Amino acid sequence: MTGKMYCVIDELAHATDDMLRMVQPGDTIQRFQRLEDAVNTAVREDGSQFLIHWPYLDWTETRLRGQLLNLARSIQISIYDPHELIAEHEQWQACNIHVFGRSGQSPAPARAAGDPWAGWRRWLIGESDTMRKIVEMIRIVADRRTTVLLLGETGTGKEAAARAIHEASGRREQELVPVNCAAIPESLIEAELFGHAKGAYTGAIGARAGYFERAHRGTLLLDEIGEMPLALQGKLLRVLQEREIQRVGGGETVPVDCRIIAASNVDLAEEARMKRFRSDLFYRLSVVVLRLPPLRERREDIPILVDHFIERICKTEGLARCRVTPDALRRLADCDWPGNVRQLEHAVESAVVMSDGRTVLTAYDFPIDVPMNHAAPVPQPTSSFPVLPETGLDMEETVRRLEMHLLSEALGRANGNKARAADLLGLKRTTLLYKARSLGFAIA
């Protein structure tokens, strides 16, 4: 055997990006679900170099340790330990077993141009356990045709995850076409998605391709799909099943080959149960479901995100690199961030831009009044109106905080659905959006 034999051992027998970037001409990859099978194969391959990749293997388990030590007597072994879980590295090295991880030395060559995994990780900032699991799931599903459903609150990074999936896939050279289903008027959304024939309706002076055709051989992101009209959902289901579309006013079908990623900030399972979303479409979309966590559930990522945003904003604005005081970071990590990553990004941008060239940002530079999970108590009413404290109050600030609280409460009860939140507050949807912007409340 002239090259190395790479053994991928995990429950899915799937090669990850770390394995793929090591493979050179003449090397082979063999996939196993059991270490014993890999060892037996390696013994038969006289003189081969044996590299093991098993992301979640318990290397301290005595039986496995013994098998590897015996194998190392006749075959050069390398163990890739991406999560750096292996104890007693010195003992392994003494037995001619080379252990390496992400932060240690690695025999892997630099990534070649055109590496299918290069660059996509930049869309998923964070090192929390939750984000690591999302990264692993994206690695597994990226190069498949299967539909992916992204669920999460507003601002959690669903579009960023969609871009990561697209860039990690074989379709990365083609276009990713994002479509906000909530932003297109109901009377136009069918023509926008599927296109229209000449003369299909008044003003259609020529044929026009829709988003599905634009995304041919690429990826189509259907954002806020929970807002799609029921009447159109049946047509979308047919397109997903048949892989062909029919333009509005046209008679011929047009085949389309695009990867579908859907995203929603509402609970589609509950929407289907309440007959507000087609259950058959929900089942068709939810082949693979990725749930993006709210920022309050991964607070350990906030310092990493802040540093990432500062670096990018300073570079864009041509400013000197800023740093944030530990006290400011603690305060930022203590906030609940109802607008999630998007709200944090806007807060960092405001602090950097308004710093007037200062390179140290304190807690007072960020547009947050009180950490939301330790908010100062609002005076408790004895009737349907707040009581005026003896010491007085700042009326504008009290009203602002009350409105912020009501907006957050309504959006929470409505699972992020802006139309239903507006109904709960007795507002028009456009009024709710205007009010949120005027208060600096992050809302998509």
Side-chain angles (χ1 to χ4, degrees), residues 380-400:
Q380 294 298 311
T382 56
S383 65
S384 58
F385 298 98
V387 174
L388 178 66
E390 291 293 334
T391 55
L393 53 73
D394 183 333
M395 184 169 178
E396 288 186 1
E397 174 64 14
T398 301
V399 171
R400 188 189 72 83

Side-chain angles (χ1 to χ4, degrees), residues 174-211:
Q174 305 302 321
E175 190 176 2
L176 181 143
V177 180
V179 181
N180 188 327
C181 299
I184 305 174
E186 187 171 344
S187 59
L188 297 178
I189 189 168
E190 182 177 0
E192 290 293 311
L193 287 174
F194 307 136
H196 62 77
K198 180 179 180 180
Y201 52 82
T202 303
I205 57 177
R208 179 174 176 270
Y211 288 120

Side-chain angles (χ1 to χ4, degrees), residues 25 54 101 108 154 197 200 267 351 375 388 420:
W54 193 349
T154 296
D267 185 346
L388 178 66
R420 288 201 294 281

Side-chain angles (χ1 to χ4, degrees), residues 112-422:
D115 183 337
W117 304 102
W120 66 268
R121 182 64 169 84
R122 74 185 189 278
W123 294 105
L124 302 166
I125 306 300
E127 295 296 335
S128 62
D129 289 343
T130 304
M131 289 305 295
R132 287 179 181 272
K133 290 176 183 176
I134 290 171
V135 168
E136 287 298 319
M137 289 185 69
I138 288 178
R139 282 175 173 154
I140 292 171
V141 305
D143 223 16
R144 304 292 179 259
R145 274 185 77 175
T146 189
T147 302
V148 176
L149 177 60
L150 303 173
L151 297 177
E153 296 177 7
T154 296
T156 49
K158 295 184 290 297
E159 183 170 343
R163 292 190 178 278
I165 294 170
H166 175 71
E167 291 190 12
S169 75
R171 299 172 182 266
R172 63 192 174 278
E173 300 298 331
Q174 305 302 321
E175 190 176 2
L176 181 143
V177 180
V179 181
N180 188 327
C181 299
I184 305 174
E186 187 171 344
S187 59
L188 297 178
I189 189 168
E190 182 177 0
E192 290 293 311
L193 287 174
F194 307 136
H196 62 77
K198 180 179 180 180
Y201 52 82
T202 303
I205 57 177
R208 179 174 176 270
Y211 288 120
F212 270 90
E213 289 180 79
R214 276 183 53 192
H216 185 60
R217 301 194 185 284
T219 304
L220 179 65
L221 169 61
L222 298 175
D223 199 7
E224 294 200 53
I225 196 168
E227 306 288 339
M228 179 177 286
L230 274 170
L232 187 61
Q233 291 177 20
K235 295 180 180 180
L236 174 61
L237 177 63
R238 184 185 179 280
V239 172
L240 295 178
Q241 292 172 338
E242 304 298 331
R243 299 280 176 177
E244 60 184 21
I245 57 102
Q246 186 173 356
R247 290 181 176 180
V248 175
E252 297 182 356
T253 58
V254 180
V256 288
D257 172 21
C258 58
R259 174 45 159 326
I260 303 297
I261 301 176
S264 178
N265 58 11
V266 300
D267 185 346
L268 291 184
E270 176 64 15
E271 294 293 289
R273 191 181 71 82
M274 299 299 293
K275 308 299 183 184
R276 292 191 291 256
F277 195 85
R278 288 185 61 128
S279 58
D280 50 0
L281 178 58
F282 169 66
Y283 298 136
R284 182 64 183 82
L285 291 172
S286 55
V287 177
V288 174
V289 179
L290 288 180
R291 299 184 185 277
L292 281 299
L295 192 53
R296 62 184 175 273
E297 293 182 5
R298 56 181 189 109
R299 296 180 190 275
E300 62 268 42
D301 286 334
I302 288 178
I304 300 172
L305 287 162
V306 169
D307 186 70
H308 169 74
F309 293 143
I310 285 177
E311 181 178 4
R312 193 190 67 201
I313 294 165
C314 288
K315 183 177 180 181
T316 300
E317 298 292 339
L319 300 172
R321 182 73 160 78
C322 300
R323 68 177 181 87
V324 181
T325 63
D327 179 64
L329 279 177
R330 283 193 296 270
R331 193 176 186 197
L332 293 172
D334 204 30
C335 285
D336 277 347
W337 300 109
N340 294 296
V341 177
R342 185 183 294 120
Q343 184 186 8
L344 175 63
E345 180 182 7
H346 293 166
V348 172
E349 183 176 5
S350 174
V352 171
V353 171
M354 299 303 293
S355 66
D356 197 25
R358 288 182 290 109
T359 57
V360 178
L361 302 178
T362 70
Y364 299 102
D365 290 306
F366 292 89
I368 49 175
D369 296 323
V370 180
M372 293 184 180
N373 59 335
H374 294 300
V378 177
Q380 294 298 311
T382 56
S383 65
S384 58
F385 298 98
V387 174
L388 178 66
E390 291 293 334
T391 55
L393 53 73
D394 183 333
M395 184 169 178
E396 288 186 1
E397 174 64 14
T398 301
V399 171
R400 188 189 72 83
R401 289 181 57 196
L402 179 60
E403 290 181 328
M404 288 276 285
H405 170 75
L406 291 173
L407 278 172
S408 179
E409 183 79 8
L411 285 165
R413 290 190 187 183
N415 292 320
N417 186 295
K418 293 178 281 296
R420 288 201 294 281

Side-chain angles (χ1 to χ4, degrees), residues 67-116:
Q67 288 179 317
L68 291 173
L69 292 176
N70 287 332
L71 185 62
R73 295 172 182 170
S74 57
I75 296 177
Q76 180 180 337
I77 295 180
S78 296
I79 299 174
Y80 178 64
D81 176 28
H83 302 288
E84 298 181 332
L85 301 174
I86 304 176
E88 301 175 75
H89 281 221
E90 294 79 10
Q91 178 180 344
W92 292 105
Q93 291 169 2
C95 298
N96 195 34
I97 295 179
H98 178 214
V99 178
F100 63 101
R102 284 180 176 147
S103 62
Q105 74 277 21
S106 170
R111 294 189 179 197
D115 183 337

